[in-house]
Amino acid sequence: MSIEQKKEQHQASRKDPAVASDSSSPAAPTEERLEKGIVIRSPGSWYDVQIGSEIIRAQVRGRFRLKERLATNPIAVGDHVTVRIQGERDESHPHLALIVDIHERQNKLTRRAAGRRPGIEHVIVANVDFAWAVQSILLPKLNAGFIDRFLVMSEYHGIRAGLIFNKADLLSESIRDAVESYRELYRSLGYTVLFTSTKTGRGIEELREVLKGQTTVFTGPSGVGKSSLINAIQPSLNVRTAAVSKKTRKGRHITSNASLYPLDGGGFLIDTPG
Ligand SMILES: Nc1nc2c(ncn2[C@@H]2O[C@H](COP(=O)(O)OP(=O)(O)OP(=O)(O)O)[C@@H](O)[C@H]2O)c(=O)[nH]1
Ligand SMILES: [Mg+2]
């Protein structure tokens, strides 16, 4: 081994726990296996991958970053991946896992990357059967611009889409006509429009039914009640929510990363940040 190679190995072992275990921990298990799983969260520089009933924390090597240069994130929630796992699970040696392959995506939902980076996209989720744009009729008020951008994006990526008008309990005479006309407009274009309320339970059973057996994503501005709806559908998930700001009447960006949840009735539901 040349000095350069040794240097490279040393640097890699400092950055990558999978490599570090080979060289610095003599007790670390060395058994390797390949498993297929689905990315359920990416809260930091790692990915939580669901493999059967187990959740494994996996990392990714630089080559995926190079491959997907046009996206800010090379791997997204919903991606099907192959993970190389080293060793058996035990307290002293947690899994050391590396994502070694991303399977071809059936589809993806994207948005423009933040900042001035023309042509670069951020993949919100991959491999979804249905996307719902969640809006609240008030607090924050309905945002037709968001809905239109969402519908264009869904059509472009070939993803079936529908609209949820949440906080139906806040419907009052002063906004009734406006809300009705939006409902009629989008229905006339062929989209399902559901009215829901996590406070009165309106529309929740209907929503639970349509989610069954599918992989679905909720997207929408902060504070409209995406996470609250997920809790209403399946209370055991206990997803974090928070009141909208009294001052700005907008959400406080409570959900910070997309997360995929398995549903008791079958299927998966993905919560996204607003
Ligand atoms: N009146 C009323 N309030 C609701 C309803 N659903 C949710 N809320 C409230 O709206 C606020 C925001 O709800 P969240 O579920 O955190 O909103 P979110 O869309 O997940 O927001 P981000 O995670 O920031 O994107 C909370 O105070 C909820 O209690 C509803 O049907 N009616
Ligand atoms: Mg949320």
Side-chain angles (χ1 to χ4, degrees), residues 4 20 29 38 42-43 47-48 66 89 94 112 118-119 126 133 151 154 165 176 181 198 205 214 224 226 262 264 274:
E4 271 313 304
I38 179 164
S42 173
Y47 299 86
D48 286 340
L66 294 175
R89 193 178 188 76
R112 253 194 8 229
L151 292 176
S154 309
F165 288 180
R176 189 177 300 275
S181 68
T198 65
E205 193 46 50
Q214 308 202 53
V224 297
K226 301 176 294 296
D264 293 343

Side-chain angles (χ1 to χ4, degrees), residues 166-167 169 197-199 222-223 225-228 242-243 253-255 274:
N166 190 35
K167 308 199 186 184
D169 53 292
S197 168
T198 65
K199 303 294 176 198
S222 179
K226 301 176 294 296
S227 302
S228 305
H253 299 281
I254 294 304
T255 303

Side-chain angles (χ1 to χ4, degrees), residues 89-94:
R89 193 178 188 76
D90 93 39
E91 288 293 304
S92 53
H93 295 118

